[in-house]
Amino acid sequence: MITILSRWHRCSCWCRRYLSSVRLSCSVTSGPYRLLSYGARNYKQNDFFRDLDREFVKFHKKVKESLPGSSWSPFKSTDHLPPERADIVIIGGGVIGWSIAYWLKQKEQIRDGVKVLLIERDPTYSQASTVLSVGGIRQQFSMRENIRMSLFSAFFLRSINEHLGVVNEDPIDIQFNPSGYLFLADEDRAALLEENVSIQRSCGAEVALLGPQQLKKKFPWINTEGVALASYGLENEGWFDPYSLLNAFRRKALSMGVYQTHGNVTGFDFFTHEMLTRSGDPVTFRRIKIVNVQAPNSLECQPVECSIVVNAAGPWSGQVAEMATIGTGPPDSLTGIKVPVEPKKRYIYVFRSYDGPGLNCPMLVDNTGVYFRREGVGGSYIGSLSSSVG
């Protein structure tokens, strides 16, 4: 490569020397033009050489890029478009979508045996539920399924670098704060809280029940008036940075061969099959065959042929389901049952209290649904009102 470029450099120098020796004479005695002076001719000649140098620089660059090992191609780049085919298409690139992509590749038997494509319409994640959440993790639920899933999640996060670490990349730090969850209950809700704690303990969660005096001793800054009972998570509870977790899943999934594209799903094409039941009634089966993806800031639309579609669009899952004709049938039929998920605006407030609780401040949830937690160590807190607790 050095030899080739040096030859072109010699060619450029030779052209300069040759053209410098050429003198163009011009004599105009009439008309709107007048004879150019030597200085003007020299100025035009210098402009010509500067343009020639620029063209040679462009040519050298093109020759260098076209050599083996470069990424240059004479064809237009299609990196912004998704692949034409995929085995599984995941709609939604939040922490749920990337987690699904990771586990699909983790479970495949052969490297690249399953082609997974993830579609995310907002690469900035400015409206994603993942990065707008408080990032809490707890085992204090009333359903055993939620408790067991959360216990596994806590184990996964404690050993996250063993699962999501990538060779030659920085270790993952999700900034986990193991400060626990603290639920408060009045006289009316104390029995229910005690019942929930019994279920949590039976699933393996470490949760303590605290009376008003024990609560005051553990957290002197709490006003225990009206509090009959409290439950406090002793381990595997707290909060972390959800954006760091999302990026960890995304980085690992991409390293395992997951494809990603940025765009908006505009609709689906279906494969339809009709058959008759034993009673002779016609039944129509529909299966998604193609996902249509529109590139951002473009009218260009790319069809992606696939076998399975995973709806991980979060609050917009209901809208994606309707595009797949789920819930669009008659109200009294099975096809008329909608996916009960829709976007709902929530607010999280940031406030400061320089003499407020310090490092021993847990994620506190009152029986009214009001919650708050510490944000950093500088006297800042975040909180809001949840519509449901438990």
Side-chain angles (χ1 to χ4, degrees):
M1 181 178 72
I2 296 176
T3 304
I4 294 174
L5 294 179
S6 61
R7 289 177 179 175
W8 285 115
H9 179 71
R10 289 197 298 270
C11 177
S12 173
C13 295
W14 178 85
C15 289
R16 174 185 286 274
R17 287 195 301 268
Y18 174 76
L19 293 174
S20 297
S21 61
V22 175
R23 294 292 183 269
L24 301 178
S25 60
C26 172
S27 176
V28 179
T29 57
S30 64
Y33 304 100
R34 64 176 182 269
L35 187 66
L36 296 176
S37 65
Y38 177 77
R41 290 200 309 270
N42 190 42
Y43 178 76
K44 294 292 185 181
Q45 193 178 52
N46 289 337
D47 278 349
F48 171 76
F49 286 125
R50 277 194 291 267
D51 293 339
L52 182 64
D53 284 340
R54 294 192 192 102
E55 293 301 319
F56 268 109
V57 168
K58 294 179 182 178
F59 186 72
H60 291 172
K61 183 178 179 181
K62 186 59 68 72
V63 171
K64 181 179 179 180
E65 291 177 344
S66 62
L67 292 174
S70 70
S71 59
W72 179 83
S73 172
F75 304 104
K76 182 181 179 181
S77 173
T78 58
D79 292 341
H80 63 290
L81 296 178
E84 295 181 353
R85 294 177 182 84
D87 296 311
I88 302 174
V89 173
I90 302 171
I91 302 174
V95 70
I96 299 297
W98 281 113
S99 175
I100 294 171
Y102 161 75
W103 285 110
L104 286 173
K105 299 300 286 186
Q106 181 72 16
K107 297 298 182 180
E108 68 179 358
Q109 301 296 322
I110 305 174
R111 173 73 178 182
D112 294 330
V114 180
K115 189 173 184 179
V116 180
L117 170 66
L118 186 142
I119 304 171
E120 170 56 41
R121 66 178 181 179
D122 179 21
T124 65
Y125 294 100
S126 60
Q127 296 182 349
S129 302
T130 299
V131 300
L132 297 177
S133 69
V134 296
I137 178 173
R138 59 184 169 104
Q139 287 83 55
Q140 297 188 62
F141 293 98
S142 58
M143 294 183 61
R144 297 181 183 274
E145 294 82 359
N146 288 339
I147 299 169
R148 293 191 178 105
M149 285 192 295
S150 184
L151 284 170
F152 174 79
S153 299
F155 167 77
F156 184 88
L157 294 180
R158 286 186 179 277
S159 55
I160 190 170
N161 280 286
E162 298 178 12
H163 302 285
L164 302 184
V166 178
V167 178
N168 296 328
E169 295 287 348
D170 294 334
I172 302 166
D173 180 14
I174 61 171
Q175 303 173 32
F176 179 60
N177 288 270
S179 299
Y181 266 67
L182 179 64
F183 283 85
L184 306 181
D186 56 13
E187 289 288 348
D188 296 334
R189 297 175 180 264
L192 179 60
L193 182 64
E194 189 173 1
E195 181 182 347
N196 290 342
V197 170
S198 178
I199 297 174
Q200 295 154 14
R201 288 174 175 174
S202 68
C203 293
E206 295 290 337
V207 183
L209 281 173
L210 304 175
Q213 294 180 351
Q214 295 171 310
L215 180 63
K216 189 69 175 180
K217 183 178 180 180
K218 178 70 174 177
F219 304 104
W221 46 270
I222 290 182
N223 180 6
T224 59
E225 182 180 353
V227 178
L229 193 65
S231 62
Y232 178 55
L234 300 177
E235 63 178 26
N236 297 327
E237 290 192 342
W239 58 89
F240 56 89
D241 178 23
Y243 189 63
S244 297
L245 180 61
L246 186 154
N247 281 327
F249 270 116
R250 177 179 176 272
R251 186 181 70 174
K252 182 63 175 182
L254 291 174
S255 71
M256 299 171 75
V258 173
Y259 293 82
Q260 72 164 337
T261 187
H262 297 138
N264 191 33
V265 175
T266 58
F268 305 101
D269 295 341
F270 301 91
F271 170 80
T272 304
H273 178 67
E274 296 184 356
M275 61 179 298
L276 298 176
T277 62
R278 291 182 178 180
S279 59
D281 297 328
V283 178
T284 301
F285 291 94
R286 294 163 63 88
R287 182 180 66 82
I288 295 176
K289 181 177 64 174
I290 291 176
V291 179
N292 296 305
V293 183
Q294 183 178 1
N297 302 320
S298 172
L299 298 178
E300 195 170 9
C301 192
Q302 171 70 40
V304 180
E305 186 177 348
C306 63
S307 299
I308 299 174
V309 175
V310 180
N311 185 356
W316 297 274
S317 296
Q319 299 176 9
V320 174
E322 287 185 1
M323 285 193 293
T325 69
I326 297 175
T328 59
D332 56 345
S333 67
L334 183 63
T335 58
I337 301 176
K338 296 180 179 294
V339 175
V341 178
E342 60 183 14
K344 186 175 181 180
K345 183 176 288 188
R346 296 288 183 87
Y347 296 92
I348 297 179
Y349 302 94
V350 180
F351 56 94
R352 301 181 69 86
S353 176
Y354 295 104
D355 57 349
L359 293 176
N360 69 332
C361 177
M363 172 81 82
L364 189 147
V365 185
D366 188 65
N367 55 13
T368 60
V370 175
Y371 68 88
F372 81 94
R373 69 165 173 83
R374 173 176 51 83
E375 178 69 7
V377 293
S380 296
Y381 304 86
I382 62 175
S384 185
L385 173 64
S386 179
S387 58
S388 61
V389 180

